[in-house]
Amino acid sequence: GGHGQSVAILAQVGWPSLTHARLAPFPSLAGMKTLVQEESIKVPKGIKISIKSKIVEVTGKHGALKRDFKHLPIELYLANSGHEVRAKMYFAKSKQLSMLRSVCSHINNLFDGVQKKFEYKMRLVYAHFPINATITNGGKTVEIRNFLGEKRVRTINMLEGVKVEKSTGTKDEIIITGTDIDMTSRSAALVRQSCLVKDKDIRKFLDGVYVSSHGTLED
């Protein structure tokens, strides 16, 4: 039709192709670089923190945690005479700016861990064969027996600094606690993945050990 012709004529006149015209003079907003972006978080009372070359060390009443952010192109420093952590980034696109908030979340998790500890509650779910969980090794290991009536003993070692215990009030519940959110949640994942039903429809066979709730331990 006529529309196709007019575009062809434009091309002959030697206009820059339409796509380039849109991208070159005005970079679209997504590609815009922000000059400097900053996020800050308050350091809670009773917590010692040190930042040296992007390694953050946090000490509180439950111990010390350390996390390395060297893989991120940001500046981390203490401000306000040590009562505030600031994360700064220069010339970043909006996708890269999301790192700043993530770093702040990670550091907040460090604060929560050394102040309150993280706790993952897991329920033993079974239809017929009662799953038997035994805590050994002083809370560092959990042994799971009789899952779906299997004879095999499943031994799950907790990751570093994580303890597992049986719930006192609730039947068929185990509680995993630790200061490091990564180690604690990964330990819970190891327990969950040790009891998977194979070769059955898992919508029907719901046996297993599932995380029922997680969060910080309230003092």
Side-chain angles (χ1 to χ4, degrees):
H3 181 70
Q5 259 172 335
S6 60
V7 173
I9 294 163
L10 283 179
Q12 283 166 354
V13 177
W15 273 42
S17 69
L18 291 172
T19 48
H20 282 88
R22 200 178 76 241
L23 292 178
F26 309 107
S28 65
L29 271 173
M32 278 280 286
K33 292 202 165 181
T34 316
L35 232 155
V36 56
Q37 178 93 350
E38 196 168 34
E39 283 267 345
S40 67
I41 43 179
K42 299 259 188 296
V43 178
K45 281 195 180 74
I47 278 188
K48 287 213 280 290
I49 179 168
S50 74
I51 300 177
K52 186 158 190 285
S53 64
K54 289 197 230 181
I55 293 180
V56 180
E57 289 198 42
V58 177
T59 316
K61 63 175 182 198
H62 286 306
L65 285 177
K66 170 165 145 178
R67 192 162 179 142
D68 186 343
F69 294 110
K70 283 191 174 159
H71 58 290
L72 297 176
I74 57 172
E75 271 185 29
L76 272 179
Y77 58 96
L78 287 171
N80 198 348
S81 67
H83 292 302
E84 207 170 44
V85 181
R86 292 218 176 127
K88 202 186 243 181
M89 200 165 185
Y90 294 96
F91 302 118
K93 301 189 174 173
S94 54
K95 277 276 175 64
Q96 296 162 316
L97 287 177
S98 58
M99 284 193 267
L100 282 178
R101 199 64 185 274
S102 302
V103 167
C104 292
S105 304
H106 284 317
I107 294 174
N108 272 326
N109 281 336
L110 296 182
F111 291 157
D112 283 351
V114 294
Q115 266 189 312
K116 307 177 194 164
K117 278 195 171 179
F118 289 99
E119 151 181 276
Y120 280 68
K121 289 185 172 167
M122 305 191 77
R123 297 297 293 267
L124 311 174
V125 178
Y126 51 84
H128 190 272
F129 293 102
I131 301 175
N132 175 346
T134 319
I135 313 290
T136 57
N137 205 352
K140 289 210 185 310
T141 308
V142 57
E143 291 178 354
I144 294 175
R145 290 186 174 76
N146 202 28
F147 170 69
L148 291 184
E150 291 174 16
K151 290 279 179 272
R152 187 177 141 229
V153 179
R154 293 167 161 76
T155 309
I156 303 107
N157 294 314
M158 296 293 111
L159 298 164
E160 206 175 326
V162 181
K163 283 196 66 144
V164 58
E165 59 192 2
K166 281 192 150 175
S167 166
T168 46
T170 321
K171 180 173 167 283
D172 292 333
E173 185 173 66
I174 59 175
I175 298 175
I176 294 177
T177 50
T179 50
D180 188 337
I181 190 172
D182 283 356
M183 292 299 191
T184 314
S185 55
R186 277 170 52 203
S187 300
L190 289 173
V191 175
R192 188 181 162 274
Q193 288 175 342
S194 70
C195 290
L196 301 177
V197 184
K198 304 287 188 193
D199 301 332
K200 302 274 189 300
D201 183 350
I202 58 170
R203 294 168 301 183
K204 179 77 177 155
F205 293 84
L206 296 170
D207 293 30
V209 187
Y210 299 102
V211 175
S212 57
S213 72
H214 61 88
T216 53
L217 267 170
E218 291 311 317
D219 299 325

